[in-house]
Amino acid sequence: MRQSYRIIPIYTADVSGVCSALYELGGMTVMHDPSGCNSTYNTHDEIRWYDQDSLIYISGLNEIDAIMGNDEKFIRDIEDAARALKPKFIALAGSPIPFMNGTDFPALAEMLEEDMNIPAFSVPTNGMHDYVYGAGIALAEIAERFTNPESRCTNPRSLNLLGVTPLDFGPLSHVQAMKRSLEQAGWEVLSTWAMGDDLDALARAGEAAVNLVVSSVGLRSAEVLKRKFGTPYVVGTPVGKFTERLVNILEQTVESREDTIAYLSNRLAGEAEITVIGEPVTMGSLAAAIEMQTKRPVQVLCPLRETEGLLSFNDAAVRGEEELEMRLKGAKNIVADPLYRPICPPESRFYELPHIAFSGRIYLKKLPVFAELCR
């Protein structure tokens, strides 16, 4: 029971990550699952649902179809919808039931592409991973399939922002603030993966001199773009005073062509006086900004799965509520989503930092603008 949750919620699942990553790109995303699961996605995880249209559907898988493996109905329904809606691509996302049944999603995607002459791909989700996994693979598929292979860098101070979804950054206005902070430093933002830009803008990604991975969601697409175009990448989020250091590292990376995790450099050693909880790249960048401002060591605790190479010597990956609660014993100052408060020591000082991927839209009006923190 060490990885069970009895007090705090779990993070947004991989299927919602797929839907969030592809929301604005003009494709049709189909979740293969029983009816009702789409409401969880659009009610709790997607803040754009009531203001911006997107072609997101659920297959309405029933018991008989699941037992008998009736893929023909699944394909027919998708093709009927695609003929009417004419999406730019079709993305298939799995769930626990077709995962247990061994549904061959890559084969189904291939059949759809042949029948409809529309690009189609699948993302190997099963509802058992967090959003970083699903969104990351979805954006990597976009990078693999839709970026122009003839693109060449035309501006040595140009970049793409990779890994931008509302699950980490909130509404578009927050993303625009992040872009402004980079533009004020003299950088041209060619595309934002994937908020505020369409598929045509993302297709130009190969023209950038460097890619900036602002959350772990963008790591897979950064690797694809490096393989296709040789574009180096920097991992880090523009956060307050840390932005200046990040800009300097971007400039160095354009020259050296070596990938860099920006927020891991110059971290402070010693017993942590401040603990932050959440996604490794955004929280790692916040930790660097706090250390620059306060000169006090900061620890990052990351409950998400994909942390390899993203954590500093003071930081830790945690698995489950029980381990997290143990790690928090003795913590003096904690920065985290408000729903973490019940498992924090009562004597600690708690600073609220809402995270949509953890608490949904409950604290939407309190969401931070990362670029404006720690100024």
Side-chain angles (χ1 to χ4, degrees), residues 8 43 45 47 92 123 147 155 326 372:
I8 62 174
T43 303
D45 297 332
I47 62 174
L92 307 181
V123 181
T147 49
N155 179 0
M326 291 177 60
E372 298 176 359

Side-chain angles (χ1 to χ4, degrees), residues 27-66:
M28 184 170 74
T29 304
V30 183
M31 292 180 275
H32 196 24
D33 210 20
S35 293
C37 295
N38 201 9
S39 64
T40 302
Y41 162 71
N42 62 50
T43 303
H44 301 290
D45 297 332
E46 183 49 70
I47 62 174
R48 294 168 290 188
W49 188 258
Y50 298 104
D51 303 314
Q52 186 175 358
D53 290 337
S54 186
L55 303 178
I56 297 173
Y57 295 92
I58 194 162
S59 64
L61 181 68
N62 60 38
E63 187 175 0
I64 295 298
D65 290 339

